[in-house]
């Protein structure tokens, strides 16, 4: 296993060097070339560059099947990004899988958990919630910053945790829960139970689309401010499978977002550098009214 750990370290070092324009290309470059090129293209499009990049990895599990070894591991990437006179730190925690034949790395890829996101078929009955004057954006963003990588033990945690995390942010920002104990009504988590709209991206999008939580859909990402929400339909099939919260804006006024599942902090909003991205992606932008 020692040799395999070293190979994964070399692979990660090649990515880090590529992001920071070091261009170290070793025997494993073809496994990560597409991901590296998409990341750099995303940065170049908005006039940004990674000044410094660091990565820390840890193997979470592995199993052997004959001469093959399957390794599950995590990589925590920290990228110090410069965009004109604006500097910020982007962080992403990737869950990855590697496959070896003997001591040869034959496959390495990032998990795409969103394809497993449960789509609620329940009818979502919405009870209007008047939150005027109760949403504290600063508190919501502070919570998003505190818990982007960890899980708050006061709430239930899911394997696909993105929407649960966003609901927590909005609730900690002052929006009240409504609808308990009907799981297909309102927006709530209580007594080890929860509404579909609290935890399922597709149901949460329907809630916001109907005006729930004081949400108003706007036409572009540039209209959003910290504390607002973006919903993602990666496949473009009208089944929404990811949710993020805006925590800052870059030099061009475009959102930087935090998220769970793909634990991310200050990530550029469009996810074009993500393995979940497809050309059919659709976005929905929601301003949470004060």
């Amino acid at each position: 296993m020692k040799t395999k750990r070293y190979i994964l370290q070399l692979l990660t070092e090649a990515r880090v060097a590529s992001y920071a324009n070091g261009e170290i290309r070793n025997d494993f470059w073809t496994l990560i070339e597409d991901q590296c090129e998409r990341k750099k293209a995303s940065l170049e499009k908005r006039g940004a560059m990674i000044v410094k990049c660091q990565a820390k990895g840890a193997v979470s599990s592995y199993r052997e099947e004959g001469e093959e070894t399957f390794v599950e591991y995590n990589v925590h990437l920290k990228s110090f990004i410069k965009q004109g006179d604006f500097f910020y730190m982007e962080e992403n925690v990737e869950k990855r899988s590697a496959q070896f034949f003997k001591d040869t790395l034959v496959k390495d890829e990032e998990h795409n958990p969103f394809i497993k996101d449960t789509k609620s078929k329940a009818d979502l009955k919405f009870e209007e919630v008047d939150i005027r004057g109760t949403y504290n954006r600063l508190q919501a963003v502070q919570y998003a910053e505190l818990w982007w990588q960890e899980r708050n033990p006061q709430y239930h945690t899911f394997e696909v945790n993105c929407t649960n995390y966003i609901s927590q942010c909005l609730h900690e920002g002052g929006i009240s829960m409504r609808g308990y104990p009907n799981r297909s009504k309102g927006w709530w988590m209580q007594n080890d139970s929860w509404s579909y709209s609290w935890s399922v991206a597709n149901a949460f999008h329907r809630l916001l689309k109907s005006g729930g939580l004081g949400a108003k859909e706007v036409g572009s990402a540039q209209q959003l401010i910290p504390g607002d929400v973006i919903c993602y339909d990666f496949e473009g099939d009208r089944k929404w499978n990811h949710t993020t919260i805006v925590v800052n804006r870059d030099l061009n006024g475009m959102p930087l977002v935090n998220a769970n599942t793909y634990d991310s902090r200050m990530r550029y909003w469009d996810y074009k550098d993500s393995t979940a991205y497809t050309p059919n992606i659709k976005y929905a932008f929601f301003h949470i009214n004060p």
Side-chain angles (χ1 to χ4, degrees):
M1 187 61 195
K2 184 177 180 180
T3 300
K4 297 176 178 62
R5 288 177 186 270
Y6 178 64
I7 291 173
L8 293 178
Q9 179 180 336
L10 292 178
L11 183 70
T12 303
E13 288 176 355
R15 287 180 61 204
V16 167
S18 174
Y19 288 166
N21 294 315
E23 295 298 334
I24 294 177
R25 301 199 176 197
N26 52 31
D27 294 339
F28 319 113
W29 173 252
T30 56
L31 295 174
I32 57 172
E33 182 177 9
D34 179 64
Q35 188 172 9
C36 290
E37 293 303 321
R38 284 189 287 109
K39 180 69 174 180
K40 294 199 297 187
S42 175
L43 289 164
E44 291 172 3
K45 185 176 180 180
R46 55 195 180 98
M49 62 180 293
I50 295 178
V51 177
K52 186 175 182 179
C53 186
Q54 295 179 336
K56 184 178 180 180
V59 172
S60 55
S61 67
Y62 74 95
R63 73 180 192 278
E64 296 179 347
E65 297 181 4
E67 294 183 306
E68 292 186 310
T69 304
F70 300 86
V71 182
E72 304 292 319
Y73 69 105
N74 300 327
V75 177
H76 184 171
L77 287 160
K78 294 184 178 181
S79 302
F80 188 53
I81 296 177
K82 178 181 185 297
Q83 186 186 34
D85 294 329
F86 179 59
F87 294 83
Y88 67 96
M89 182 74 76
E90 176 187 279
E91 297 186 62
N92 295 288
V93 179
E94 297 179 352
K95 296 180 180 180
R96 304 188 68 88
S97 298
Q99 180 180 348
F100 292 84
F101 179 75
K102 296 182 179 180
D103 285 331
T104 300
L105 179 63
V106 296
K107 186 177 181 181
D108 180 87
E109 61 185 8
E110 185 180 8
H111 289 183
N112 181 3
F114 302 116
I115 61 174
K116 295 185 277 186
D117 193 7
T118 303
K119 309 300 189 302
S120 170
K121 296 182 179 179
D123 290 335
L124 181 63
K125 300 176 182 178
F126 175 63
E127 180 178 326
E128 184 64 36
V129 180
D130 187 352
I131 62 162
R132 287 176 294 181
T134 65
Y135 185 46
N136 187 319
R137 294 176 176 279
L138 177 59
Q139 285 182 190
V141 169
Q142 287 174 335
Y143 185 88
E145 288 284 84
L146 181 63
W147 293 103
W148 73 270
Q149 189 182 359
E150 305 295 335
R151 303 298 185 261
N152 187 342
Q154 295 183 1
Y155 294 91
H156 185 87
T157 297
F158 302 86
E159 180 182 359
V160 179
N161 203 61
C162 56
T163 303
N164 177 38
Y165 165 69
I166 301 306
S167 288
Q168 291 175 33
C169 292
L170 300 185
H171 178 57
E172 296 292 334
I175 300 179
S176 299
M177 299 181 191
R178 295 288 181 88
Y180 174 82
N182 188 335
R183 299 195 70 190
S184 63
K185 184 177 181 180
W187 175 78
W188 55 271
M189 174 175 277
Q190 189 173 335
N191 296 334
D192 202 32
S193 185
W194 48 87
S195 65
Y196 297 115
S197 59
W198 180 278
S199 59
V200 179
N202 202 45
F204 184 67
H205 169 265
R206 292 172 65 186
L207 178 71
L208 299 182
K209 185 80 171 178
S210 68
L213 311 187
K216 178 182 178 182
E217 188 168 9
V218 296
S220 70
Q222 200 162 12
Q223 294 175 260
L224 301 180
I225 61 176
D228 288 338
V229 171
I230 303 177
C231 297
Y232 300 76
D233 169 8
F234 287 116
E235 297 83 16
D237 59 0
R238 298 184 180 180
K239 295 179 180 179
W240 301 84
N241 39 26
H242 188 44
T243 320
T244 67
I245 184 170
V246 179
V247 295
N248 206 336
R249 298 200 293 180
D250 72 2
L251 191 65
N252 298 324
M254 302 303 290
L256 302 173
V257 300
N258 282 21
N260 269 188
T261 307
Y262 277 146
D263 292 354
S264 301
R265 175 180 179 269
M266 299 278 280
R267 184 174 194 156
Y268 192 65
W269 69 273
D270 66 6
Y271 270 64
K272 288 186 176 180
D273 61 342
S274 168
T275 52
Y277 175 85
T278 76
N280 298 322
I281 193 170
K282 295 184 184 300
Y283 308 97
F285 310 110
F286 293 100
H287 175 65
I288 309 299
N289 291 324

